[in-house]
Amino acid sequence: MVFKNIFYFLILLLTSFCSYPVLAQDNTQANGGNASFQLIFPKDAEWNTLEEGKEINFHLQVRGGKSDSIRYSITSGWRKDMKFDSTGHFVWTPTYEMADRINTVKLWPIVFEAVNLAGETVSQQVAFKIMHVNRAPEVDELKPFYVQYKTQNTYQIDMNSVRDADGDPVVFIPVLDGMPEGMRMTAAGEIIWDPSTTQFNLLKKGPRYIEFFVEDQPSKVRTKGRLKLEVTQMDLEPDFKIVPQNQLVRSKENNRINLKFTLSDPNGDDDIATFDFVSENKNVPQSALVKNAPTSYEFIWEPGYEFVKDPFDSLAFNITFYVLDKAQNKKERTLRFLIENTVNEAERDAYVYGLYRGGLVNAWSLLEQMKEKEGELKRAYGRAKKGKRSRSLVNASLGATTGLAPVIAKSSVETRGYITTLGGTTVATLGTLEATEVIGKSTNGLLDRFNYVMQKKNELQNKGDVFAREYAQKSARRSPDFIRKLDEFKALMNLSGLVALELDANWENKKAAGYDEKKVDAAIKKAFKDFMPLEKDE
């Protein structure tokens, strides 16, 4: 009896160690050649079709065989999550990772085997069809959304707190009915909110919650989550914005610099205490910072032409703007200022206008002098013409008297001797021609000089009209050609015939000396109608 038990034990031990996978759907092997020994599985239709996460539980049985003592085993396809004992009780819950949203069906073959004490063995392969089951996303408790005042608050939902067990991509969908006005949520879970004063004050009274959905794709299965909104409890530092947002402020002298500042404090605008600046350059006045409102300031500054000293081309320095709250929390920003040396256009325009006006004043004075000379020559020419006619008559009478002298002074010897001394008629005529050139002036010379003055006066008038019209505007006087044209205009007034005209170099324009500036400008405009006086705003 003992030897018989040892024999059966050895058979079972060899069967467990020497079992092999059965690839055929149904394979029956018996030492005694009995083909009726076979496995019996559940008879339900599609009993081997399983869903992930759903348990299958059945008892494996056999039919036939020479012994009722059966030992069951799995020779292929065993998993750790399966339970199968030697009595044929099989329990298995397929895990969710076996199939996925792309491969929705997974085949899992398992080879079951049965051995009895008679040494008979039977095995059969069963292909289990595992169907994918989509699971809803999961949302853990989220960290609160701490909101600051007058700030565009941004909150990103922590993806470690939101997950999908199947690895499906998820999107966030807001519940609009419960969201405050102005708040928005993106599909990626970013929440953006800039609360108004009323909203912030309401939130100060107590926290509130907003709800949202987490939806997996492409199954569209949703899970609701919620987020707590709360006013920040930290005494955060204030902040300010600068418009324009440039770290370098570049400007020229006499050019206005205008920066705008908007202040904010996460704990409320009433927490702001001070806003000011510190400049490396002491020539920047503190009065340049203007307060428009408790949270609105402007920096208005216009560096003068003397700000950058010659011979430097520019001057650079830093200005640090800062804001303080009541708890002395500080926020500061430093801007770099670069002021470029600039020519004073107003002074240059005034200087160039002085050259323009001076040239026309000299032309006007020379015209006045030439007008006086013209009148003088005109009167001299009249006297010369009149004097020549008188002298011609006297000469003729002298000639006649000379011829009658012996007759008229017939009774007076002394008189006859005196008259005879004048000579005859021919001598008296020669004396008359000499007296004409010595006593009066030549009418031909006076006429030539008169015509020359007229010619030069007309030429100067025409050139002056052109010069006054061409450079009447400030922009025209800024052109490089102005100085050259001014020199040409002055050269016209340096008349080579001043000596021939007998113009007095020390002559002064009595009108220019006796008039004020406005009257002189009016006289110049009368002489040159296109002349434009400098306006006060220029």
Side-chain angles (χ1 to χ4, degrees):
M1 187 69 180
V2 174
F3 289 104
K4 184 178 181 179
N5 292 334
I6 292 175
F7 178 74
Y8 285 142
F9 176 75
L10 290 175
I11 290 175
L12 292 174
L13 185 65
L14 289 172
T15 302
S16 62
F17 280 98
C18 299
S19 61
Y20 58 91
V22 179
L23 301 178
Q25 181 66 24
D26 191 358
N27 185 14
T28 302
Q29 180 181 359
N31 293 335
N34 188 357
S36 62
F37 186 49
Q38 56 183 329
L39 295 172
I40 300 174
F41 292 94
K43 297 181 180 180
D44 298 337
E46 296 185 356
W47 69 273
N48 61 333
T49 300
L50 309 177
E51 292 182 354
E52 292 178 328
K54 188 175 181 179
E55 182 183 87
I56 181 173
N57 190 336
F58 67 91
H59 283 275
L60 186 62
Q61 297 179 354
V62 295
R63 178 186 297 124
K66 296 179 180 181
S67 175
D68 294 336
S69 180
I70 308 298
R71 184 175 182 85
Y72 298 93
S73 65
I74 296 177
T75 61
S76 178
W78 170 262
R79 287 174 58 92
K80 292 182 179 180
D81 50 2
M82 295 178 180
K83 295 179 181 180
F84 186 61
D85 56 22
S86 59
T87 63
H89 186 205
F90 181 77
V91 180
W92 182 35
T93 303
T95 57
Y96 286 96
E97 74 276 1
M98 294 194 70
D100 52 41
R101 62 188 179 90
I102 299 176
N103 299 315
T104 58
V105 179
K106 176 75 173 181
L107 294 177
W108 191 264
I110 300 176
V111 177
F112 294 94
E113 185 180 75
V115 178
N116 60 17
L117 291 178
E120 295 176 320
T121 303
V122 62
S123 63
Q124 185 172 342
Q125 176 179 287
V126 177
F128 287 94
K129 183 187 294 184
I130 312 300
M131 307 299 293
H132 172 65
V133 176
N134 183 64
R135 290 169 288 175
E138 299 177 7
V139 182
D140 296 337
E141 184 177 354
L142 300 175
K143 296 183 294 183
F145 183 8
Y146 291 105
V147 179
Q148 300 179 14
Y149 178 63
K150 275 194 176 179
T151 303
Q152 183 171 291
N153 300 274
T154 303
Y155 180 89
Q156 177 63 54
I157 296 177
D158 186 6
M159 297 306 295
N160 294 323
S161 301
V162 178
R163 58 190 173 275
D164 187 89
D166 302 316
D168 298 335
V170 297
V171 296
F172 295 87
I173 302 175
V175 179
L176 300 178
D177 293 341
M179 291 185 66
E181 184 179 356
M183 178 182 287
R184 64 183 186 275
M185 174 185 285
T186 66
E190 184 180 50
I191 303 172
I192 303 171
W193 188 33
D194 187 357
S196 64
T197 303
T198 303
Q199 290 173 331
F200 188 81
N201 292 334
L202 289 175
L203 198 59
K204 273 186 174 181
K205 298 178 181 179
R208 60 176 299 181
Y209 292 85
I210 62 170
E211 294 181 337
F212 57 92
F213 290 108
V214 182
E215 183 180 88
D216 66 356
Q217 304 298 320
S219 300
K220 309 295 183 182
V221 178
R222 293 182 174 184
T223 299
K224 182 177 286 188
R226 72 173 192 167
L227 176 64
K228 184 180 181 180
L229 304 179
E230 192 173 356
V231 172
T232 178
Q233 300 300 319
M234 298 175 59
D235 191 2
L236 300 174
E237 65 183 13
D239 198 2
F240 60 92
K241 297 179 180 179
I242 307 175
V243 178
Q245 297 180 356
N246 297 326
Q247 294 297 321
L248 176 63
V249 179
R250 182 189 295 270
S251 179
K252 295 182 179 181
E253 289 181 325
N254 204 44
N255 188 28
R256 179 173 296 176
I257 300 173
N258 189 358
L259 304 177
K260 296 179 176 60
F261 300 87
T262 302
L263 283 57
S264 63
D265 193 293
N267 304 103
D269 289 345
D270 53 355
D271 195 37
I272 298 174
T274 305
F275 182 69
D276 208 340
F277 72 90
V278 176
S279 174
E280 292 180 349
N281 192 299
K282 302 305 179 183
N283 293 325
V284 180
Q286 293 296 130
S287 59
L289 191 63
V290 180
K291 180 179 180 180
N292 297 325
T295 58
S296 177
Y297 284 77
E298 279 189 281
F299 180 79
I300 304 174
W301 178 47
E302 187 175 319
Y305 285 108
E306 301 300 323
F307 187 79
V308 181
K309 305 296 183 182
D310 292 333
F312 297 105
D313 295 331
S314 62
L315 179 62
F317 56 93
N318 293 330
I319 296 182
T320 301
F321 297 90
Y322 64 90
V323 59
L324 292 172
D325 63 6
K326 295 179 181 178
Q328 298 303 303
N329 293 317
K330 185 178 182 181
K331 181 71 173 183
E332 62 181 30
R333 286 188 176 88
T334 300
L335 301 182
R336 186 72 171 172
F337 284 74
L338 180 63
I339 310 301
E340 299 176 353
N341 197 349
T342 309
V343 176
N344 190 337
E345 294 293 341
E347 291 184 0
R348 180 174 177 80
D349 288 338
Y351 169 74
V352 176
Y353 170 76
L355 298 178
Y356 167 72
R357 182 178 181 273
L360 293 177
V361 167
N362 293 337
W364 168 58
S365 298
L366 186 56
L367 282 177
E368 293 295 323
Q369 187 178 8
M370 293 174 73
K371 286 179 181 179
E372 291 185 5
K373 190 63 178 178
E374 181 184 356
E376 180 182 340
L377 291 174
K378 190 174 182 180
R379 290 190 296 270
Y381 177 73
R383 288 196 304 268
K385 289 180 66 178
K386 184 178 179 180
K388 185 174 182 181
R389 285 193 302 268
S390 300
R391 287 190 298 273
S392 298
L393 292 173
V394 171
N395 291 340
S397 62
L398 285 174
T401 304
T402 303
L404 298 174
V407 179
I408 296 171
K410 190 181 293 187
S411 59
S412 176
V413 178
E414 295 179 1
T415 303
R416 288 182 63 184
Y418 176 75
I419 295 174
T420 304
T421 306
L422 293 175
T425 301
T426 302
V427 176
T429 301
L430 290 174
T432 300
L433 294 175
E434 292 173 0
T436 302
E437 297 298 330
V438 173
I439 298 174
K441 294 185 177 180
S442 173
T443 57
N444 293 331
L446 291 173
L447 185 59
D448 290 341
R449 280 178 287 172
F450 178 79
N451 291 333
Y452 182 72
V453 171
M454 288 287 293
Q455 176 187 351
K456 290 300 181 182
K457 187 187 73 169
N458 293 335
E459 183 180 0
L460 182 60
Q461 180 70 54
N462 293 333
K463 296 287 186 178
D465 289 338
V466 173
F467 181 79
R469 179 174 59 256
E470 185 175 359
Y471 296 102
Q473 299 298 327
K474 178 171 57 178
S475 58
R477 294 193 292 270
R478 291 177 178 175
S479 65
D481 292 337
F482 171 72
I483 299 299
R484 180 176 60 82
K485 291 293 184 67
L486 178 62
D487 291 339
E488 292 177 0
F489 186 53
K490 287 183 177 180
L492 179 66
M493 291 182 281
N494 296 329
L495 300 176
S496 59
L498 288 178
V499 177
L501 293 174
E502 299 180 1
L503 296 179
D504 188 0
N506 297 322
W507 181 87
E508 292 184 3
N509 192 343
K510 297 179 181 180
K511 293 182 179 180
Y515 289 1
D516 58 12
E517 185 175 351
K518 290 185 178 180
K519 291 184 178 180
V520 173
D521 289 343
I524 297 174
K525 190 170 182 62
K526 185 177 180 181
F528 307 104
K529 60 180 180 179
D530 293 320
F531 167 71
M532 293 292 293
L534 189 68
E535 300 294 338
K536 290 184 179 180
D537 57 349
E538 294 184 273

